[in-house]
Amino acid sequence: MTIDFQKSNGLVPAIVQDATTKNVLMLGYMNQEALDTTLATGRVTFFSRSKQRLWTKGEESGNFLELVSVKVDCDGDTLLVSTRPQGPTCHNGTDTCWGEKNESNPLLFLSELQDFVEKRYQEMPEGSYTTTLFRDGINRMAQKVGEEALEAVIEACNGTNERLVYEGSDLFYHLIVMLTAKGLRIEDLAAELVARHKPGWQKH
């Protein structure tokens, strides 16, 4: 990782991002020592221009930024710091320095769920329902997808919205299991829907 600290008199901007939500939390500045300290301790440390010293985010409030990764941009003069925040990031008590809520888009969880299912597929732990589905084979998985789809339809026609959400969640889970067994991901379905949304898309 080559960083040009000299371009801006020894400091480079460090954009801090939540590793889970992907939201931007704050902007700070790092010199070489601040970066080295961040990498060594696992807690994001900046160089404070007002205090003229190293400053670990959360050293007073306890709202540390736990380090996940650091990337440098194409010009070598800006850092992207991926973190897991331990509480509000801004000194004003808000989640971000722009006063925004650091909330995750629930749709992102579908990728996390498939990551979890893929791990089950690789490890096949005993006592896991997901393991049972994989061992029963693709026909059983397809059967479960059909059963859950039917139950979702029944709830949509004659049930409650609460039960529809419940059965629809079962459908998504079993669909992800089946996709995993076929070497596919939920993102493949999303990519297909994106393609269909473009002008000129033709049905296969």
Side-chain angles (χ1 to χ4, degrees), residues 1-5 7 11-15 30 32 35 39 67 69-82:
M1 185 164 53
T2 303
I3 304 168
D4 188 355
F5 285 102
K7 186 180 292 187
L11 297 177
V12 295
I15 301 166
M30 290 186 180
Q32 183 68 65
L35 176 60
L39 295 174
L67 180 67
S69 66
V70 177
K71 296 179 181 178
V72 61
D73 76 337
C74 56
D75 292 324
D77 59 5
T78 302
L79 301 177
L80 179 62
V81 184
S82 180

Side-chain angles (χ1 to χ4, degrees), residues 163-198:
R163 289 298 303 176
L164 174 57
V165 169
Y166 184 89
E167 298 298 346
S169 299
D170 281 348
L171 172 59
F172 265 90
Y173 162 74
H174 287 92
L175 178 59
I176 286 174
V177 172
M178 187 171 67
L179 288 171
T180 301
K182 299 294 288 185
L184 298 170
R185 287 190 58 91
I186 195 73
E187 289 90 346
D188 294 316
L189 303 190
E192 172 66 17
L193 292 172
V194 170
R196 293 184 185 189
H197 192 63
K198 293 179 181 178

